[in-house]
Amino acid sequence: MPSPGAAEPFRGLRRTVHRRPVVQPTVWSVPHDGVPVTDPYVRRYWTPLLGPGAVADLLRLATAAARNRSLPRPIYLTELARAGLVRDSGGALEVRIRIPEVPPHLHRHLPPRLRRELAWPPADRVSP
């Protein structure tokens, strides 16, 4: 005897449930030189600003763009676009694979410890 509901997997779902559309991200070529999206800097400093879900979406988008693959539309796409990390250019979703350093006007949104770290950047982060 099957488990209750096993034969009808979608019966208990709300009527408003729907699949997210699929997007095909491409690499956004910007002249700005930043850190690679996989650099620990992105997780350490951008996560408190955007949230862990948005940073995870950013990493998935960058990986999909680099591999020329599609994926379901990220939930945090609006937040990533507001931060300037992705953009819609004529129907194509572009994602940065090099992430800029946190702009000074956003430093005040970081916890004090991280704010102090950014006030004196390590030597490998200083631009020539």
Side-chain angles (χ1 to χ4, degrees), residues 44-55:
R44 182 164 183 84
Y45 298 106
W46 280 99
T47 299
L49 297 172
L50 299 174
V55 172

Side-chain angles (χ1 to χ4, degrees), residues 62-84:
T63 301
R67 294 180 180 170
N68 198 22
R69 300 227 171 122
S70 59
L71 71 161
R73 183 184 186 280
I75 294 171
Y76 296 99
L77 195 57
T78 304
E79 288 81 357
L80 294 172
R82 191 176 303 129

Side-chain angles (χ1 to χ4, degrees), residues 2-108:
S3 299
E8 305 169 34
F10 299 108
R11 184 177 180 152
L13 296 177
R14 291 186 247 162
R15 291 182 207 179
T16 57
V17 172
H18 61 279
R19 287 184 183 257
R20 288 183 283 158
V22 174
V23 294
Q24 175 74 45
T26 58
V27 174
W28 179 5
S29 300
V30 289
H32 185 279
D33 188 32
V35 297
V37 71
T38 55
D39 192 288
Y41 178 91
V42 175
R43 287 192 175 139
R44 182 164 183 84
Y45 298 106
W46 280 99
T47 299
L49 297 172
L50 299 174
V55 172
D57 279 351
L58 175 65
L59 295 171
R60 280 191 289 274
L61 281 167
T63 301
R67 294 180 180 170
N68 198 22
R69 300 227 171 122
S70 59
L71 71 161
R73 183 184 186 280
I75 294 171
Y76 296 99
L77 195 57
T78 304
E79 288 81 357
L80 294 172
R82 191 176 303 129
L85 303 176
V86 299
R87 74 174 178 179
D88 180 9
S89 64
L93 179 63
E94 295 181 329
V95 61
R96 289 180 184 246
I97 57 170
R98 296 195 63 83
I99 307 302
E101 293 190 15
V102 175
H105 71 276
L106 292 178
H107 287 196
R108 63 187 172 93

Side-chain angles (χ1 to χ4, degrees), residues 41 45 101 107 114-127:
Y41 178 91
Y45 298 106
E101 293 190 15
H107 287 196
L114 295 179
R115 206 175 315 144
R116 282 190 300 273
E117 288 177 17
L118 284 177
W120 300 284
D124 64 337
R125 298 273 186 241
V126 176
S127 308

